[in-house]
């Protein structure tokens, strides 16, 4: 009776109406399990749809969104419908927002992936979280790649002030390009 009381006292009105006529705690538990556990094909189909039609948002932190996808794959496994870790990893990559397009391309075309090694959810999550942190700091991989292509050399666009200063020589340090007050 005490267990039944604990179960019924913790329920909201909707689930409570489904078990109100139960006489034992075991009966309450069985009815709740049957109603909410979701072992049927509808649940399996829903979880598969959620994994493969997910669209992640960069307006929210990425970690809980990615963990939610991994958790849905785990639930499918416990329901007897496992999806390989590599397939879930690719679903994660496909669900990333456009701001992660470069990372998606890099992970899909990495030598290990091309050579037949499987991409893992752990790898995807680690790389996405690193990219998210770097993007917040202004050091995203896109910036590193763009900088790397120039091999560290910045293109110089001459401007009129710079051109005028080329002919100047500092009276203090004797170097060209500036004058003593700017030294």
């Amino acid at each position: 009776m005490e267990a039944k009381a604990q179960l019924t006292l913790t329920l909201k009105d909707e689930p409570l109406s489904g078990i109100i006529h139960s006489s034992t705690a075991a009966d309450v538990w069985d009815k709740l399990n049957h109603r909410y556990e979701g072992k049927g094909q509808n649940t399996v189909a829903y979880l598969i749809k959620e994994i493969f039609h997910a669209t992640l948002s960069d307006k929210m932190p990425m970690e809980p969104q990615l963990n939610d996808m991994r958790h849905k794959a785990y639930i499918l496994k416990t329901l007897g419908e496992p999806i390989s870790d590599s397939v879930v990893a690719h679903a994660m990559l496909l669900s990333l927002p456009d701001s992660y397009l470069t990372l998606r391309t890099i992970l899909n075309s990495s030598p290990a992936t091309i050579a037949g090694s499987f991409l893992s959810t752990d790898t995807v999550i680690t790389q996405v979280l690193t990219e998210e942190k770097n993007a917040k700091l202004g050091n995203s991989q896109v910036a590193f790649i763009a900088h790397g292509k120039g091999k560290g050399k910045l293109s110089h666009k001459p401007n009129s002030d710079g051109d005028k200063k080329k002919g100047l020589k500092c009276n203090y340090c004797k170097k060209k390009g500036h004058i003593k007050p700017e030294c």
Side-chain angles (χ1 to χ4, degrees):
M1 292 303 279
E2 188 176 328
K4 181 184 175 220
Q6 288 294 325
L7 287 170
T8 56
L9 289 173
T10 59
L11 296 174
K12 292 184 178 182
D13 290 341
E14 296 82 21
L16 184 61
S17 65
I19 56 101
I20 197 74
H21 299 292
S22 300
S23 57
T24 65
D27 191 31
V28 168
W29 189 254
D30 289 341
K31 285 183 180 182
L32 290 172
N33 264 340
H34 179 70
R35 185 171 180 181
Y36 294 106
E37 188 173 21
K39 288 186 176 180
Q41 290 303 308
N42 286 338
T43 302
V44 170
Y46 169 77
L47 290 169
I48 290 171
K49 177 183 172 270
E50 287 291 307
I51 290 171
F52 291 105
H53 286 114
T55 303
L56 304 180
S57 169
D58 45 6
K59 294 180 181 175
M60 297 175 7
M62 295 304 274
E63 188 168 18
Q65 296 178 81
L66 293 167
N67 284 338
D68 184 52
M69 289 181 75
R70 185 169 28 187
H71 181 69
K72 287 174 181 162
Y74 175 77
I75 293 171
L76 280 170
K77 182 179 175 184
T78 63
L79 294 176
E81 297 288 339
I83 297 177
S84 78
D85 189 62
S86 177
V87 171
V88 176
H90 284 286
M92 287 176 171
L93 285 179
L94 292 172
S95 67
L96 289 172
D98 289 341
S99 58
Y100 289 83
L101 182 61
T102 303
L103 178 65
R104 183 185 316 150
T105 303
I106 290 169
L107 289 175
N108 274 329
S109 61
S110 70
T113 307
I114 293 171
S117 285
F118 295 109
L119 192 60
S120 72
T121 55
D122 288 334
T123 301
V124 171
I125 290 172
T126 300
Q127 293 301 317
V128 168
L129 295 181
T130 302
E131 177 66 12
E132 180 181 42
K133 185 192 298 183
N134 286 337
K136 285 180 182 174
L137 297 173
N139 299 326
S140 73
Q141 289 178 354
V142 176
F144 286 136
I145 291 168
H147 184 68
K149 286 183 179 178
K151 298 183 182 168
K153 296 179 183 176
L154 298 174
S155 63
H156 175 67
K157 293 183 181 178
N159 61 22
S160 57
D161 288 343
D163 292 342
K164 289 178 188 173
K165 290 185 177 184
K166 280 185 180 179
L168 298 178
K169 184 176 180 182
C170 179
N171 292 332
Y172 183 72
C173 70
K174 308 296 185 217
K175 291 184 180 177
K176 290 184 178 181
H178 65 274
I179 56 175
K180 187 175 180 179
E182 296 171 344
C183 189

